[in-house]
Amino acid sequence: MSTLERARRHLKAHPMALDAALAAGVLACMVAGSFVDPHEKHDVSWGFRTPAPLSLVLMTLGAAALVFRRRAPMTVLALTGTVSLVEAVTGDPRAPVAMSAVIALYTVASTTDRPTTWRVGLLTMTVLTGASMLAGPLPWYAQENLAIFAWTGIGATAGDAVRSRRAFVHAIRERAERAERTREEEARRRVAEERLRIARDLHDVVAHHIALVNVQAGVAAHVMDKRPDQAKEALAHVREASRSALNELRATVGLLRQSGDPEAPTEPAPGLDRLDELVGTFRSAGLRIEVARADNGTTLPAAVGLAAYRVIQEALTNVQKHAGTEAKAEVSVVRVGPNVEITVLDNGAGEDHDPETVGGHGLLGMRERVNALRGTLTTGPRYGGGFRVHAILPIKTRTAVTGKPGESV
């Protein structure tokens, strides 16, 4: 760090010392100016004069007041304006006492607002200039009188310009800090959303396949001794369900890999085109399911198709886990205007059939998926027994690209 930089930081940390140095400099300039006579007789060059003792006292008082210009700018302006007014009325020859008032006016303008600067500046200019012209020993048109008007105006203007620049720089810095905070908050929000999405996918995959594995393993254990062929078939289903679970888990965990990783998954997310495969896994576990589709072959956006697939998967998993062994499920997919409606009904009568009463994250995950697409989800017990899941998903999401009329891609 250079000596100049250290001095600047020291003065910035001790503003009163800086003001004292400024006051000393202003006093030196006023005293030096008071010994110069710009109107020497019979010559165009400047001459030498001796200031009046009162002028020296007034200059000292005005400079001393500047030491406190940051603490009480209005009071300092009043004091320096008073000594300048006295000098303007009595000084002959006149000393540049008004320099202290110019510095004080600059301080007021740089530390207050523009209306205050206008009022105080006009008042200072009017009082000092008017008193000099009307009550001073010099003619009203003397250049010293005009100089008071000019220098007070320059002081107010310069102070206002410095205040405006300081406010502009502060606004830019604050805007940059706000933008930085916004970027950090957006990054945290995106991370939280991504973690929540991955948690939903993991829950859907694990809950579905583990439920199937549990059912098939129970069947295999029950018929192992009496019907070994059926036990082998159940174990084959267990193996297939576990393999599917591993594949989906690998795909989900692969989403955490960086782009460009050769091991990152390339298989598209499941959608309603895999509905028959999904239903088949439940049927192989002994769940009776009827499927009705009236979506007219609508091609759904990937996000909508995935949400519909996961809603049906979670609803059927709940039926498998909670509805009892004699339960029957009905799945319907219907295109209604700009929406696709998914309905899963069952007639289960298990003691813990209502998924909302047994805890878990299945229904919460379904609701989050549907809400993310601006859709609606309704769940609850059916009259006469069973449970109902009904989801309405808009086909055209904000990120979807529209193709032909009546068709979404």
Side-chain angles (χ1 to χ4, degrees):
M1 185 183 300
S2 63
T3 304
L4 182 61
E5 181 66 18
R6 284 197 298 268
R8 189 183 68 83
R9 292 194 176 186
H10 178 75
L11 291 175
K12 188 175 181 180
H14 302 83
M16 199 163 189
L18 177 61
D19 291 338
L22 175 65
V26 171
L27 179 60
C29 292
M30 290 191 295
V31 171
S34 65
F35 282 91
V36 177
D37 185 6
H39 301 289
E40 184 181 5
K41 296 179 180 180
H42 310 298
D43 200 348
V44 296
S45 62
W46 289 19
F48 180 82
R49 67 182 182 183
T50 301
L54 178 60
S55 297
L56 294 175
V57 174
L58 294 177
M59 285 186 287
T60 304
L61 292 176
L66 293 179
V67 177
F68 306 96
R69 67 187 186 96
R70 297 177 193 264
R71 293 189 176 184
M74 286 293 188
T75 303
V76 171
L77 177 60
L79 292 175
T80 55
T82 300
V83 297
S84 300
L85 181 62
V86 173
E87 174 64 20
V89 174
T90 62
D92 189 18
R94 184 178 296 169
V97 181
M99 182 182 295
S100 61
V102 172
I103 300 298
L105 182 58
Y106 164 85
T107 303
V108 171
S110 64
T111 55
T112 58
D113 52 19
R114 181 160 295 172
T116 302
T117 300
W118 273 95
R119 290 193 297 268
V120 175
L122 288 176
L123 178 62
T124 303
M125 294 166 60
T126 302
V127 171
L128 292 182
T129 306
S132 300
M133 290 182 173
L134 300 178
L138 300 177
W140 69 269
Y141 53 83
Q143 64 179 9
E144 286 86 347
N145 298 335
L146 299 179
I148 291 177
F149 178 83
W151 281 108
T152 50
I154 290 174
T157 304
D160 182 72
V162 169
R163 179 195 54 77
S164 298
R165 181 182 179 280
R166 190 183 297 129
F168 177 72
V169 172
H170 177 73
I172 291 179
R173 184 180 295 110
E174 185 179 29
R175 190 179 302 117
E177 293 175 354
R178 190 184 307 115
E180 183 65 23
R181 290 194 301 269
T182 302
R183 282 194 294 269
E184 292 177 356
E185 292 172 358
E186 179 68 13
R188 286 195 294 268
R189 184 186 66 81
R190 289 181 180 275
V191 169
E193 289 181 352
E194 185 66 12
R195 291 176 61 185
L196 181 61
R197 185 183 65 81
I198 293 175
R200 285 198 303 263
D201 287 341
L202 288 174
H203 171 271
D204 293 341
V205 171
V206 171
H208 166 57
H209 291 289
I210 296 302
L212 295 181
V213 168
N214 181 60
V215 171
Q216 295 290 358
V219 172
H222 182 69
V223 300
M224 179 66 72
D225 297 331
K226 297 181 180 180
R227 294 190 291 261
D229 293 338
Q230 187 176 353
K232 290 181 180 180
E233 182 180 355
L235 291 176
H237 288 306
V238 168
R239 183 179 181 184
E240 181 64 27
S242 61
R243 181 186 298 112
S244 299
L246 289 175
N247 291 336
E248 292 201 40
L249 284 173
R250 186 180 298 112
T252 302
V253 175
L255 295 175
L256 300 176
R257 298 183 182 275
Q258 297 180 356
S259 60
D261 193 322
E263 297 185 18
T266 58
E267 183 181 355
L272 291 182
D273 55 329
R274 294 176 55 182
L275 179 59
D276 293 338
E277 177 185 344
L278 175 66
V279 171
T281 61
F282 284 100
R283 285 173 175 165
S284 65
L287 180 62
R288 294 178 296 165
I289 305 176
E290 292 184 2
V291 179
R293 297 191 65 169
D295 51 346
N296 302 322
T298 302
T299 302
L300 300 178
V304 179
L306 176 61
Y309 180 90
R310 293 303 188 194
V311 167
I312 296 174
Q313 182 186 55
E314 179 61 29
L316 292 178
T317 300
N318 288 335
V319 175
Q320 181 76 53
K321 291 166 59 177
H322 307 298
T325 57
E326 301 299 325
K328 176 182 177 182
E330 299 177 3
V331 178
S332 66
V333 181
V334 182
R335 169 73 182 269
V336 181
N339 304 318
V340 59
E341 297 190 10
I342 309 296
T343 306
V344 180
L345 307 174
D346 70 79
N347 61 349
E351 295 181 358
D352 60 345
H353 176 42
D354 188 351
E356 295 180 339
T357 63
V358 297
H361 303 279
L363 295 181
L364 178 61
M366 282 195 288
R367 185 164 288 107
E368 289 173 347
R369 287 185 183 278
V370 173
N371 291 340
L373 298 175
R374 305 289 182 89
T376 58
L377 177 72
T378 305
T379 62
R382 298 174 61 193
Y383 179 77
F387 200 78
R388 176 178 181 269
V389 175
H390 180 68
I392 301 177
L393 301 173
I395 297 177
K396 295 180 180 180
T397 64
R398 287 179 295 177
T399 57
V401 180
T402 58
K404 298 179 181 180
E407 179 182 1
S408 297
V409 296

